[in-house]
Amino acid sequence: MSVNFRPPVAAVPAIGWRQVLGFDQADEPFFARVRAAQLAAVNRNVPFNVGLITLNLFGVIWLLRDVVGAGFIAGWTATIAALVTLRFVHYHRELRRGLADAASVRQFWLITGEIAAYGVGWAALVLHLMPGAPAAMQALLIIVALTAMGAGGGAVAVMPVCAIVLVTTVALGTLLALPPGSLLARGDVALAFLTFAAMTIRASLATTAALMARMRGETALAEHGEVVRLLLSEFEANGSDWLIEVDADGRLTHVSPRFAEVARRPREALLGAPLLTLFGSERRGRARASVRALAAGFRERRAFRDITVPVLVDGETRWWALSGTPKFSAEGRFTGYRGVGRDVTEVRRGQERIAQLARFDPLTGLANRNLFRDALEDVLGRAVRGGRQCALLFIDLDRFKAVNDQLGHAAGDALLREVAARLRTAAGSGATVARLGGDEFAVLLPDASQRRAEAVATGLVAGMARPCVIEGQTVSVGVSIGYALGPADAATAETMLRSADLALYEVKSSGRGAALRFRAEFRERAEERRVLEADLARALDRAELALAFQPVVDAADERIVGFEALLRWTHPQLGNIPPAKFIPIAEETGLIVPIGHWVIAEACRWAARWPDEVRIAVNLSPAQIDDARLVDLVEAALADNGVLPGRLELEITESLFLDEKPATMARLAALSALGVQFAIDDFGTGYSSLGYLHKASFSRIKIDRSFVTRAGVDDGDASAIIESIVRLAASLDMATTAEGTETRAEFERIRDLGCQQVQGYLFGRPMPPEAATALVAGVAVRQDVAA
């Protein structure tokens, strides 16, 4: 950055005529210097004036030798000689002292007095001789008077008061001395005399005014120059920038201490060195262009600003920003450059760091999403133009969240760095590996066939299955990979990203830990899902959702002891949408929370119409458990419908306890305090630990239908598992319900194994609320009336 500054300019007061004359000057330093200049100008003419006066004296004595008495001439000559001698003495005294920078008012007026006395002397001569002199002598005296006025006024032209006194005294004395009635006493002679006097006085005033104005300007310029000099000295001494001056050949002519310090070279070594020879440490790319731009500016003799060039300083590449303006002589000849420089190395490094952060992931050093997107567009574009293929792999870590939560974020970061290193190694040279965010990664393979893409993907899955040692802990994570080939699967970057993402979604939906290539039906399913998601968001307001109730019976006497509320969606165009299709959408989008609130309230509304011994079971999603309003909503639903809390059973899955969130346990405890019952749904198919059973007041275990079905065909292992679950439940004072009981044989076998309640098509399919209400009222309900 160049430095521009303007020194402070003091207001310059105008010089008045009284000050030109020598009045009202007081003790102001400026006028003291003016007086010294005036006296110096007068003194410079002293030798010439003394010689001229001496010659005039001899001339006057000679001319008047026969006209006047010797006594007068002797006295007058002595007087003039004394004045001349006095002036000469003063002159010699000043000459010995040397030229002074200032003169006092007293000195000024002393000189004025001497000059006035000299004028009086010449006026006295004319006054004494003029009246009685003949006409020729009168003319001669007038010439002598004019000569005295001109010579004296010219000698003291820079001192207007002296000039005025001298000229006025001689002029008035001469005019007064003219005899009345003589030829020389005419008005035109007097006018001529006065005109000459006025012109002489005016010239003196103009000369003095010009002198003062010039000196005032020089003083102001000197003050400004001093300010500039001080500022430049301060700038060079304390500023971070430095001054640069080069001659017409580009050689340094001025090297400030700061410049030498930054260059880490002696000033003597830099003086005379070509400036451009300092810039040669990094001549590639933008660095080369900046040096060329600086050299071009020198050749074309034009100004340049903030050109950043590399400089090798003690083996380290530094960066300088230079600005300069060409200099020209008074004749217009180019004489070089003057400018400023500054070290911008840290600024440039900061900019490079910002650029690095903008393009690379700071944790792993991999490309970030922006850089990866640019690389994808470039690789895919070349593949389309060249008729080749490329591959895009989307990679998602499995079980990363559990590691991050259990071992802490530092361990999670270390794991991500380890994953990044493995991905680089497995992807091979030429591949672009990126971290897109969180635990999501991507690999771009240029010139990749289907075989290579599949090999890399399966290799990554196998490689990431190996345990990692993180901060002394052995952790196991896997990866799920979805990949797409371009342009076979997609011809644009956006479509290719979407295709790989859809393939990854399919892998995660089907169990994780595998690699899968995109297929066209994935996009069709995604579009169907998108439509369902948009319509599900409006389904509740459009009254498209409804509840179906499936009975739960006592295994001993087969009487109905409760119903499970099951959600149904009747789409206006697509008809009945299976819960397995829309429930996951509701959970992923968060729609399950408002829908779940409605389900609880609606289930309680119908349960209020049933006998008090018939309970109502409602499935509870983990997303609902995370809702801070859940407890209040459940309490309000019970109170509004007059349903006893013990009749409401909330079914939750084992996966809820994977995270072991304190808020989850607190919310379950608050619901339990209301008197609400809990049941574990699909027991035996999920979380392997049984430690969670004591964390909530469960009243029931629901045995998954897969065990029930296998037990019905004499599967010994399934029967043993069911029997173990029954004993476990009994020891914990919990009841058991077998789900999916569809045949009498299954029911008999389940009852023999000790299950207390059963649920399944054998005793009733899910049915509309009205049918369930009729059923508990003892009204026969046809089995084909089901939802």
Side-chain angles (χ1 to χ4, degrees):
M1 179 187 299
S2 63
V3 178
N4 298 311
F5 55 82
R6 178 175 305 198
V9 178
V12 179
I15 300 175
W17 286 112
R18 287 181 56 82
Q19 293 170 319
V20 171
L21 291 172
F23 302 103
D24 298 338
Q25 293 182 354
D27 295 327
E28 186 176 336
F30 168 72
F31 288 111
R33 292 195 298 271
V34 170
R35 291 191 294 269
Q38 290 173 316
L39 296 179
V42 170
N43 285 335
R44 279 194 299 270
N45 297 323
V46 166
F48 175 78
N49 291 338
V50 167
L52 181 62
I53 293 171
T54 302
L55 183 61
N56 286 338
L57 282 175
F58 283 114
V60 169
I61 294 170
W62 176 257
L63 290 174
L64 301 178
R65 64 185 184 280
D66 298 326
V67 177
V68 297
F72 176 79
I73 289 298
W76 181 83
T77 301
T79 301
I80 296 300
L83 292 174
V84 170
T85 302
L86 180 62
R87 180 84 288 272
F88 199 74
V89 170
H90 287 167
Y91 165 73
H92 269 286
R93 183 184 302 164
E94 296 297 330
L95 192 63
R96 286 196 304 270
R97 291 179 180 174
L99 296 178
D101 294 330
S104 65
V105 175
R106 180 175 177 277
Q107 289 176 291
F108 178 85
W109 289 112
L110 282 175
I111 296 297
T112 301
E114 292 178 9
I115 302 302
Y118 177 74
V120 170
W122 281 101
L125 176 65
V126 176
L127 283 170
H128 180 75
L129 297 179
M130 184 71 74
M137 182 57 66
Q138 290 179 347
L140 178 60
L141 289 173
I142 289 176
I143 293 173
V144 171
L146 289 174
T147 302
M149 291 170 58
V156 294
V158 294
M159 298 182 67
V161 173
C162 294
I164 291 172
V165 172
L166 175 64
V167 172
T168 302
T169 301
V170 175
L172 291 177
T174 303
L175 293 177
L176 292 174
L178 289 175
S182 67
L183 182 63
L184 296 175
R186 297 187 312 177
D188 52 353
V189 175
L191 180 61
F193 238 90
L194 293 176
T195 299
F196 182 74
M199 292 178 62
T200 304
I201 293 172
R202 182 184 181 280
S204 176
L205 290 171
T207 301
T208 305
L211 171 67
M212 289 186 171
R214 177 177 61 79
M215 292 187 65
R216 177 72 84 182
E218 291 175 350
T219 300
L221 184 60
E223 290 176 352
H224 294 176
E226 180 64 16
V227 171
V228 170
R229 188 188 67 77
L230 291 174
L231 288 176
L232 290 178
S233 298
E234 180 71 15
F235 174 81
E236 290 191 338
N238 301 316
S240 60
D241 298 6
W242 62 85
L243 299 179
I244 295 176
E245 287 192 31
V246 297
D247 59 18
D249 296 325
R251 297 180 180 275
L252 289 165
T253 59
H254 173 78
V255 176
S256 66
R258 176 62 179 161
F259 183 16
E261 177 187 347
V262 172
R264 298 176 193 171
R265 296 172 62 180
R267 294 181 62 194
E268 296 75 14
L270 290 172
L271 281 171
L275 179 63
L276 291 178
T277 60
L278 300 177
F279 316 131
S281 62
E282 194 168 328
R283 293 293 186 90
R284 62 180 184 273
R286 293 175 59 187
R288 182 191 305 161
S290 64
V291 174
R292 283 203 305 265
L294 183 62
F298 274 25
R299 288 194 303 270
E300 298 170 11
R301 299 176 181 177
R302 54 180 170 80
F304 54 88
R305 181 181 179 85
D306 284 342
I307 293 182
T308 303
V309 292
V311 186
L312 189 62
V313 179
D314 288 348
E316 175 191 9
T317 298
R318 307 287 296 181
W319 293 88
W320 292 355
L322 304 178
S323 301
T325 304
K327 300 184 298 179
F328 295 93
S329 66
E331 297 79 20
R333 182 173 55 86
F334 174 69
T335 59
Y337 273 89
R338 178 184 292 113
V340 295
R342 61 191 175 97
D343 190 307
V344 295
T345 305
E346 299 307 320
V347 174
R348 185 179 180 91
R349 288 173 180 171
Q351 292 172 343
E352 291 174 351
R353 177 60 177 164
I354 292 173
Q356 175 81 5
L357 293 175
R359 306 284 282 175
F360 292 90
D361 174 52
L363 177 63
T364 63
L366 300 178
N368 66 8
R369 185 181 295 273
N370 294 333
L371 179 57
F372 187 78
R373 177 63 180 265
D374 293 343
L376 175 60
E377 291 180 348
D378 179 62
V379 169
L380 182 58
R382 286 190 280 110
V384 171
R385 292 189 299 270
R388 298 187 296 271
Q389 286 196 116
C390 61
L392 170 63
L393 286 66
F394 265 10
I395 304 166
D396 190 51
L397 289 187
D398 302 331
R399 300 182 298 279
F400 172 74
K401 188 176 185 301
V403 173
N404 203 46
D405 291 344
Q406 293 171 9
L407 300 182
H409 292 294
D413 291 345
L415 176 59
L416 291 174
R417 286 191 289 268
E418 173 66 21
V419 170
R422 291 191 183 186
L423 290 179
R424 284 196 193 97
T425 302
S429 61
T432 300
V433 183
R435 180 186 177 211
L436 304 183
D439 59 348
E440 298 176 355
F441 296 83
V443 174
L444 177 61
L445 303 173
D447 299 326
S449 63
Q450 159 66 24
R451 178 177 297 179
R452 181 176 181 233
E454 183 177 3
V456 171
T458 55
L460 288 173
V461 172
M464 290 308 304
R466 300 195 308 271
C468 303
V469 178
I470 304 298
E471 297 184 353
Q473 299 285 333
T474 300
V475 298
S476 295
V477 294
V479 294
S480 299
I481 300 177
Y483 66 95
L485 298 181
D489 297 332
T492 67
E494 190 64 38
T495 308
M496 197 164 181
L497 290 167
R498 177 64 174 160
S499 299
D501 191 40
L502 290 173
L504 177 61
Y505 180 81
E506 290 292 330
V507 174
K508 292 162 67 176
S509 299
S510 59
R512 297 179 174 270
L516 182 65
R517 179 185 172 183
F518 168 79
R519 295 198 297 269
E521 58 263 31
F522 296 169
R523 186 173 288 117
E524 295 172 2
R525 285 203 290 268
E527 178 61 21
E528 179 187 26
R529 184 182 182 280
R530 186 192 65 79
V531 172
L532 290 179
E533 181 179 323
D535 292 343
L536 182 60
R538 300 187 293 269
L540 193 60
D541 294 336
R542 294 178 176 180
E544 297 171 6
L545 299 179
L547 291 184
F549 295 96
Q550 185 175 28
V552 178
V553 302
D554 189 282
D557 55 13
E558 301 183 23
R559 61 183 175 84
I560 296 176
V561 293
F563 288 93
E564 181 180 1
L566 303 171
L567 185 62
R568 296 293 183 261
W569 179 20
T570 303
H571 194 280
Q573 285 81 38
L574 303 177
N576 292 326
I577 308 297
K581 183 174 287 189
F582 74 84
I583 291 296
I585 295 176
E587 290 180 336
E588 292 175 16
T589 60
L591 292 172
I592 194 65
V593 174
I595 291 175
H597 295 166
W598 176 83
V599 168
I600 293 173
E602 186 71 1
C604 290
R605 187 171 71 86
W606 284 102
R609 308 181 186 187
W610 306 336
D612 289 344
E613 66 270 13
V614 178
R615 70 177 186 276
I616 180 66
V618 176
N619 289 282
L620 207 58
S621 166
Q624 291 176 266
I625 293 290
D626 290 337
D627 182 16
R629 300 172 298 168
L630 177 64
V631 177
D632 294 337
L633 289 168
V634 169
E635 185 176 14
L638 294 171
D640 292 345
N641 295 284
V643 176
L644 295 175
R647 294 181 59 198
L648 176 61
E649 188 173 79
L650 299 177
E651 297 185 4
I652 56 180
T653 60
E654 299 169 281
S655 61
L656 179 68
F657 298 96
L658 283 174
D659 293 338
E660 298 187 357
K661 298 178 182 178
T664 297
M665 305 314 300
R667 207 154 285 132
L668 292 177
L671 290 170
S672 180
L674 291 178
V676 173
Q677 303 296 305
F678 293 100
I680 286 289
D681 199 10
D682 300 331
F683 185 80
T685 62
Y687 192 35
S688 59
S689 173
L690 300 179
Y692 63 86
L693 288 176
H694 69 85
K695 296 181 180 180
S697 301
F698 291 104
S699 60
R700 184 175 310 281
I701 294 178
K702 298 189 72 173
I703 302 173
D704 187 72
R705 63 176 300 170
S706 62
F707 298 115
V708 174
T709 302
R710 287 162 53 196
V713 294
D714 292 329
D715 186 317
D717 290 340
S719 297
I721 290 174
I722 292 175
E723 192 172 13
S724 297
I725 293 174
V726 169
R727 287 199 299 268
L728 174 66
S731 66
L732 297 174
D733 196 23
M734 298 167 61
T736 52
T737 299
E739 295 182 290
T741 306
E742 299 185 357
T743 65
R744 176 58 62 171
E746 291 175 354
F747 169 65
E748 296 294 343
R749 180 60 180 156
I750 290 300
R751 183 168 56 183
D752 292 343
L753 291 173
C755 286
Q756 297 157 304
Q757 297 173 359
V758 293
Q759 178 183 348
Y761 287 175
L762 177 62
F763 298 101
R765 294 175 177 270
M767 61 190 68
E770 296 81 3
T773 302
L775 187 62
V776 296
V779 178
V781 178
R782 291 168 47 193
Q783 286 297 306
D784 59 349
V785 181

